[in-house]
Amino acid sequence: MVVFRVVLALLAVLTCVTSAPRSAAPPQDISVLTPLGTAQGTLDADGANRFAVRYAGATRWQSSAVVTEWTLPNGASDPAALPLQCPQTSVDASTFAEDCLSMILYVPVDIAPGSNASTLVWIHGGSFDSGSATFPGLDGSNLAIATESIVAVIQYRLGALGLLPPDGSTNLAVQDAINALIFLGQVVPSFGGDSSKITLAGQSAGAGMIRSLLAAPSASSLFQSAILQSDPMDFGFTSLTTQALLQSTFNDLISCSPSDTACQMSLTLDDILSAQATLEDEALGLDPSVAIGEPLHPVLDHTLITTPLDSTAPFPKVSKPLLLTNVRNESAPTIYGVEFPGPGPFPAEDFELSSDALLGTARTEILMASPFYPVDPNGDSRVPLQVLGTDYIWRCPTWTFARNWVANGGTAHVGMFTVGATYPLNDGIDDCVAPGAVCHQDDIFIVFGTTPNPTPAQSALTTEMQARYKAFLASADPNEPGLDGWVPATTTDVHAKEFGVLTTVDGEVPVLACDPSFWGQAVQYDYQFFDL
């Protein structure tokens, strides 16, 4: 069985999640005067003022433009109404709309104009083809109150609508995110925010979007720092060659030429999403460099995104402070939930067969000869496969990125969650609900403070991480009195801190295969292997 070939569950299964229901808002409405008009909001059930707003508009497959007046999303008249999702597969069509460039602002009630508060902008994950500002756990009230900041949760165009315009232009979704930041820069002072104190944060593909913004010079002045959680950095950016192939195939599927705007506008959303689903199913067969589980993602177009921000080209000079985190069992949902479901154990030979199918013979031979992924002949091959997947897609490329970032002028703090809160899609995966497991997405509830019925360990970690984020938003340093020291990364030691249950004496994650002489050198990442 080929590991990761169907889909990275921890990335792509987000297409199966529906928007999270919210508690009914109290009847109390709030109004704030902004340069774009009067913002209408309501008191969120968790205690912050909540404002949903349409930040930009766009004609299908054209660049978006920032709005010039404050309007509620989707023509709503009720300030408590939440925005519809962007179009995506595997959800009810009644939950999405093409006019979806909206965000939700959460503002603590004690932040007033002149407060000069920080703003945290959350960018949701979902493999760039799913997700929304209303997905489970993303109510920003608790996070806003704990960090004494404005929290903005944004949406951006997904899948083919955001990344495959038939005329061959690129990165519309990234431009959407840039316009969200431009909009925020205009309005946050009205809510008590300081437009020069905007920090980006996101998980999975959301972190990948932030990496795209870090690689886009035109976005640099719009935010001061960033928090990247569980970014699948092994994927790199899509190359122009691969993008052209995907684009051509998609155009054939919709039967519209690049210049036939009338044909493109006549397509129904079902037509577009159906063609997108077919392309995503076939993408890896078209080009082996396509990111497994994330076939559509931002493109290194050398216009908007001008650098790969990886080890395939000279790293640019940088200055922004970053927080970079992973969870302990990033790949467990794929290994135990998709590729090898069931009670197991699975035979030892599955490790080499799966690795060979994923990485090729040459890279697999190096892995098999190394001490990092020992296979117990009488054990379960899923155990080393989960470690391999976590190292290969997430942990080790993140550590390589941290070293490069620090070497070129920036600062980075690296960490790993060893306590989490099971995200809904992981509920049915035995290994993800086992004691001590922290699977992909299990950091979301912790950071937002939205864990249902939290344990003392979960509550303690939420308190710690929100305190660290508060300090980072204010001073670019996640350390403050009363917290254990979080040592910044250097070019030789990333000092990856454990967050939760400590498994080592010094509270730092062992380097193991993330030694720079192994992953990234002896064994190439995909972005190196395919020269993306």
Side-chain angles (χ1 to χ4, degrees):
M1 188 177 293
V2 180
V3 171
F4 306 109
R5 290 296 183 185
V6 178
V7 42
L8 279 174
L10 48 169
L11 297 168
V13 300
L14 277 172
T15 57
C16 301
V17 179
T18 57
S19 293
R22 301 290 181 87
S23 302
Q28 177 183 357
D29 292 340
I30 300 104
S31 296
V32 173
L33 185 62
T34 80
L36 302 181
T38 301
Q40 296 174 291
T42 190
L43 182 66
D44 189 75
D46 289 325
N49 292 329
R50 187 184 74 211
F51 301 84
V53 62
R54 180 177 183 263
Y55 69 81
T59 303
R60 178 181 292 176
W61 282 316
Q62 300 298 312
S63 295
S64 58
V66 179
V67 299
T68 57
E69 62 180 357
W70 186 283
T71 56
L72 297 175
N74 310 115
S77 58
D78 181 1
L82 295 171
L84 295 173
Q85 306 176 88
C86 290
Q88 53 197 278
T89 60
S90 302
V91 300
D92 191 297
S94 66
T95 69
F96 61 66
E98 201 164 348
D99 179 15
C100 63
L101 298 184
S102 301
M103 67 172 67
I104 306 173
L105 296 174
Y106 298 88
V107 185
V109 294
D110 56 355
I111 291 181
S115 298
N116 294 322
S118 299
T119 298
L120 186 147
V121 180
W122 181 266
I123 305 180
H124 70 76
S127 296
F128 289 104
D129 63 6
S130 64
S132 75
T134 54
F135 259 38
L138 299 188
D139 186 313
S141 285
N142 291 334
L143 182 59
I145 293 167
T147 56
E148 298 179 5
S149 69
I150 297 167
V151 171
V153 185
I154 73 169
Q155 300 185 158
Y156 48 94
R157 281 176 288 180
L158 302 169
L161 289 165
L163 293 166
L164 281 178
D167 67 359
S169 54
T170 55
N171 294 322
L172 294 183
V174 182
Q175 294 171 11
D176 294 342
I178 290 174
N179 282 335
L181 297 179
I182 293 172
F183 173 86
L184 282 168
Q186 294 176 355
V187 302
V188 291
S190 301
F191 296 90
D194 184 336
S195 59
S196 69
K197 295 165 61 176
I198 292 177
T199 294
L200 307 184
Q203 187 269 347
S204 195
M209 176 66 84
I210 294 171
R211 182 161 38 89
S212 302
L213 296 171
L214 290 168
S218 60
S220 182
S221 64
L222 301 176
F223 63 102
Q224 65 173 0
S225 54
I227 303 169
L228 286 71
Q229 299 175 205
S230 297
D231 184 354
M233 291 193 182
D234 174 76
F235 295 163
F237 297 124
T238 299
S239 70
L240 283 170
T241 300
T242 298
Q243 178 72 4
L245 176 59
L246 296 175
Q247 186 68 72
S248 174
T249 304
F250 178 72
N251 288 2
D252 290 342
L253 289 168
I254 60 174
S255 300
C256 291
S257 71
S259 59
D260 192 345
T261 304
C263 175
Q264 296 162 23
M265 295 301 291
S266 71
L267 296 169
T268 67
L269 287 177
D270 187 62
D271 293 333
I272 295 169
L273 293 174
S274 177
Q276 174 190 310
T278 299
L279 175 65
E280 290 182 318
D281 286 343
E282 299 176 352
L284 195 61
L286 297 172
D287 186 335
S289 75
V290 167
I292 301 164
E294 195 179 278
L296 305 179
H297 61 271
V299 181
L300 179 58
D301 58 6
H302 302 287
T303 303
L304 182 66
I305 298 176
T306 61
T307 172
L309 278 187
D310 61 28
S311 302
T312 62
F315 210 86
K317 292 297 181 183
V318 295
S319 60
K320 295 186 189 297
L322 304 181
L323 302 186
L324 305 167
T325 61
N326 296 110
V327 301
R328 182 159 55 193
N329 309 105
E330 296 275 18
S331 69
T334 298
I335 303 302
Y336 290 89
V338 176
E339 293 298 339
F340 298 95
F346 285 82
E349 57 264 27
D350 281 343
F351 178 88
E352 185 170 2
L353 290 171
S354 297
S355 177
D356 189 71
L358 178 66
L359 295 165
T361 302
R363 288 192 285 179
T364 295
E365 287 178 350
I366 300 171
L367 291 175
M368 296 297 295
S370 79
F372 301 123
Y373 308 105
V375 181
D376 182 348
N378 300 313
D380 191 333
S381 64
R382 294 178 297 184
V383 174
L385 278 171
Q386 191 283 131
V387 178
L388 169 60
T390 295
D391 284 355
Y392 160 52
I393 302 292
W394 288 275
R395 186 172 78 101
C396 296
T398 296
W399 289 23
T400 297
F401 177 84
R403 296 185 192 100
N404 283 333
W405 192 263
V406 171
N408 288 277
T411 61
H413 288 78
V414 179
M416 177 177 286
F417 286 81
T418 54
V419 162
T422 303
Y423 203 68
L425 286 169
N426 295 332
D427 275 336
I429 302 171
D430 288 344
D431 195 69
C432 287
V433 297
V438 189
C439 292
H440 192 73
Q441 306 169 75
D442 287 354
D443 50 345
I444 293 175
F445 285 158
I446 295 293
V447 167
F448 273 80
T450 49
T451 303
N453 304 310
T455 66
Q458 290 169 333
S459 293
L461 184 55
T462 289
T463 298
E464 177 182 354
M465 297 313 297
Q466 291 183 340
R468 292 191 183 279
Y469 283 20
K470 176 182 177 181
F472 184 71
L473 295 179
S475 67
D477 185 346
N479 291 291
E480 69 172 18
L483 298 176
D484 290 340
W486 188 356
V487 180
T490 70
T491 57
T492 57
D493 190 341
V494 301
H495 295 291
K497 184 173 180 57
E498 296 180 277
F499 291 113
V501 177
L502 301 187
T503 62
T504 59
V505 174
D506 62 0
E508 292 190 358
V509 182
V511 177
L512 301 176
C514 293
D515 186 291
S517 67
F518 193 71
W519 276 108
Q521 185 168 324
V523 184
Q524 291 184 320
Y525 299 120
D526 278 358
Y527 63 71
Q528 296 169 306
F529 188 78
F530 294 111
D531 194 24
L532 297 176

